[in-house]
Amino acid sequence: MPTIAHEFVWPDRVVIGTIGLPGARTFYLQVRSRSQIMSVALEKEQSALLAEKIDEILDELMVGDGNPFSVPATTPVELVDNDPLELPLDEQFRAGAMSLGWDPSTVQIVVEAFPVQEIDDAEFDPESIESISELESLVEPSEVLRVGMPVGTARAFAKRTREVVGAGRPLCPLCGTPMDPQGHVCPVADDL
């Protein structure tokens, strides 16, 4: 079955946001183009890494000969988006693999999110696989979310994502693990 591609080439809005309280938040990549909205669940670590890698790509492009793509060094004020996720929130899928790239023809950062792939161990017999194409058909994703972001929007997306990730539970100054409001048993404090 061919992969269903949900493409947002010039979206009106693309953000990372959360639902839930710190310690029990679910992260979402949400994109809107006119009346079409799509939300994909992510892990906190995926969100943080996505922001980091987007900034790295933008920083590399910025120092190119004369900054040919007019990449902003900071987030353009007019692109700051602090609004909550749009409701109702319908999760399309939970992201497994993700890819990130640069499209010089549209001058956009391109993010792709693929659903978590589950292969039934009872049906998967590596000995019965006769070709690479047969193996690829077993792990071919059912769908993909592909989002293009102009450089200013990408810079704003990365900034917001870092803020959303950082708004979780405070970290223990001794061991660095998140502290719950109910208390924290610190393994480092026991050693002092």
Side-chain angles (χ1 to χ4, degrees):
M1 185 161 115
T3 301
I4 298 168
H6 308 280
E7 298 210 35
F8 292 81
V9 181
W10 293 97
D12 299 324
R13 183 176 195 226
V14 56
V15 295
I16 294 284
T18 62
I19 300 290
L21 297 172
R25 297 184 297 170
T26 301
F27 284 74
Y28 291 95
L29 167 60
Q30 187 176 74
V31 60
R32 175 177 43 84
S33 186
R34 294 187 194 96
S35 62
Q36 183 184 10
I37 298 174
M38 182 170 284
S39 302
V40 172
L42 302 173
E43 295 297 326
K44 178 180 181 179
E45 293 78 15
Q46 286 174 303
S47 302
L49 189 59
L50 187 58
E52 178 186 327
K53 295 303 179 185
I54 286 173
D55 271 339
E56 283 179 15
I57 290 172
L58 293 173
D59 291 345
E60 285 179 27
L61 291 167
M62 195 173 68
V63 297
D65 291 334
N67 192 0
F69 301 109
S70 299
V71 177
T74 59
T75 301
V77 175
E78 66 275 11
L79 297 177
V80 172
D81 182 346
N82 292 320
D83 292 338
L85 293 172
E86 296 183 41
L87 299 176
L89 193 141
D90 295 318
E91 180 180 312
Q92 183 71 27
F93 59 83
R94 176 163 287 282
M98 296 187 74
S99 70
L100 183 61
W102 170 249
D103 183 350
S105 67
T106 61
V107 189
Q108 290 184 325
I109 295 287
V110 179
V111 176
E112 292 181 325
F114 301 88
V116 173
Q117 291 293 108
E118 295 185 25
I119 297 175
D120 186 358
D121 289 341
E123 294 178 15
F124 180 70
D125 177 15
E127 307 258 336
S128 69
I129 303 297
E130 295 179 14
S131 68
I132 295 294
S133 62
E134 190 176 341
L135 178 61
E136 288 173 346
S137 71
L138 285 173
V139 294
E140 184 177 339
S142 56
E143 56 190 321
V144 58
L145 169 62
R146 188 173 297 118
V147 180
M149 288 184 265
V151 292
T153 301
R155 191 66 89 184
F157 175 89
K159 179 182 185 296
R160 175 192 167 113
T161 300
R162 283 191 310 279
E163 291 169 355
V164 168
V165 167
R169 297 175 289 173
L171 299 179
C172 173
L174 297 175
C175 69
T177 59
M179 298 186 299
D180 290 319
Q182 301 83 8
H184 171 68
V185 178
C186 179
V188 175
D190 293 341
D191 294 339
L192 297 178

